[in-house]
Amino acid sequence: MIRKGALYLPNLNALRFIAASMVLVHHIEHTKKEYNLPNCWTGHFLGLVGDLGVTLFFTLSGFLITILLLQEKKEKNSIDVSAFYKRRILRIWPLYYLVFLSALFILPHLKFFNLPGTETVTESIGVKLFLFVFMLPNVVFSYYAPIPYSVQTWSIGVEEQFYIIWPWLIKFTKSIILLLLLIYVGFFLLNLFLLTENATDFFSRNIIILLSHLRFGCMAIGGVAASVYFFNKTVVLKYVLNIRAQAFSILTLSILVLLPNAVYLVHEIFALFFAIIILNFAFCPKVLVNLEIKPFKYFGKISYGIYMYQFIGIVIAIKFSNFVIDYKNILVFNIFTYLVSFGVTIGLSSLSYEFFEKRFLKLKEKFQVVPSMS
């Protein structure tokens, strides 16, 4: 059902921006808490929304990567895994290394960016550096004190670890949908089991944290959605590719987010509804909300930068807001903080995209097998 030519899927850039915004909101409240400012961090919704933003990112990533690999396999009768790795490296690694090296070696020495209670950044710095260099930031996140301005990179590590094996599996597996479903169910059951575990010692507790952040099941369910459409599985598509399915998925997600115990649901459940929404926004002729709006499309294009620079933008915004507005005027302070946080983060991301990332994206085009448009 996918034709040859440059692949463009509508609305998905906007979904990227929505996911990045969910994470940004989550971390604004958390950072306000770190500065002992009035915050909603303990509120159920804001405590969950950032995690769901990351789950949406994972699901969307699995969807897009899978559909591109399937198209390549169809057109070329194989998959150039080497070219796949080069594309990933050129898109992900430059900004990843820039952010974590800045977080380790530059920002700690700038007084303006010091965060309360983060004096432990230099502890085990050799181990942390080794793990970061070899794309294992999720291990740092699980076992060591957080490194300010680099905490968000844990999800980048999870994605890169998944994509080490993913192109090989698609290249040599005939029953792609069955394989994806097995991965999805496997990680669903794993996370269900981890929720019931009550580890008391440090090692076991951190192993549970590490495993719970391996969202391979979320990426797999994104791949299932892509495969169902790609192979034209009409028996499924007739139920999930329509306005009713969109409304049902959005309504269900809204209810789940508002439930007090939703935080205990495994992320693969949320990923299932996100996958239906992604599938509809990409391919359904009628959508509940048209997200093909120019600013959203651009913000989605720079969403990787928004995700990576968010803490720098948030800290600048909070310190500036605290300087010009009395934080006791909660409403005005919060509105101003949010506007400046989004403005600074988007501004940094735009500059990064235009003057840093684009250099690598031009090189990335040399290794494209299936042309895709942002």
Side-chain angles (χ1 to χ4, degrees), residues 9 18 92 95 120 142 222 257 320 336 362:
L9 304 177
I18 289 169
I92 301 300
L95 186 53
T120 56
S142 301
V257 167
F320 182 60
F336 193 75
K362 286 178 181 176

Side-chain angles (χ1 to χ4, degrees), residues 72-227:
E72 179 180 344
K73 189 175 181 180
K74 179 183 177 183
E75 291 184 14
K76 308 294 181 181
N77 204 31
S78 184
I79 290 173
D80 187 340
V81 178
S82 173
F84 172 82
Y85 289 152
K86 289 169 185 172
R87 292 194 301 272
R88 290 297 298 177
I89 288 169
L90 289 167
R91 181 64 190 108
I92 301 300
W93 289 21
L95 186 53
Y96 167 85
Y97 283 114
L98 175 66
V99 168
F100 100 73
L101 288 171
S102 299
L104 277 177
F105 299 114
I106 299 175
L107 296 175
H109 301 289
L110 301 177
K111 189 175 180 181
F112 180 87
F113 288 103
N114 286 348
L115 286 169
T118 55
E119 296 80 9
T120 56
V121 66
T122 55
E123 286 183 7
S124 307
I125 193 166
V127 178
K128 290 176 181 176
L129 182 61
F130 175 85
L131 292 170
F132 268 111
V133 166
F134 288 96
M135 282 289 164
L136 294 166
N138 49 323
V139 178
V140 177
F141 182 76
S142 301
Y143 279 89
Y144 296 94
I147 299 171
Y149 306 99
S150 71
V151 173
Q152 72 279 19
T153 60
W154 71 268
S155 64
I156 307 302
V158 171
E159 279 203 22
E160 295 304 273
Q161 291 151 31
F162 182 76
Y163 291 130
I164 288 173
I165 59 169
W166 190 227
W168 295 103
L169 291 175
I170 292 187
K171 182 175 182 175
F172 294 112
T173 304
K174 292 183 179 179
S175 303
I176 299 294
I177 295 178
L178 178 60
L179 172 66
L180 284 163
L181 284 171
L182 287 173
I183 295 172
Y184 173 76
V185 172
F187 276 87
F188 175 86
L189 294 174
L190 172 66
N191 284 306
L192 204 60
F193 169 75
L194 293 175
L195 285 175
T196 64
E197 281 295 283
N198 230 344
T200 53
D201 64 285
F202 174 83
F203 183 77
S204 300
R205 189 167 61 250
N206 286 75
I207 280 286
I208 289 172
I209 293 170
L210 181 64
L211 290 175
S212 68
H213 285 97
L214 284 181
R215 307 274 179 86
F216 290 0
C218 299
M219 286 181 274
I221 199 62
V224 169
S227 304

Side-chain angles (χ1 to χ4, degrees), residues 89 136 222 333 340 352 363:
I89 288 169
L136 294 166
F333 179 82
V340 177
S352 173
L363 291 174

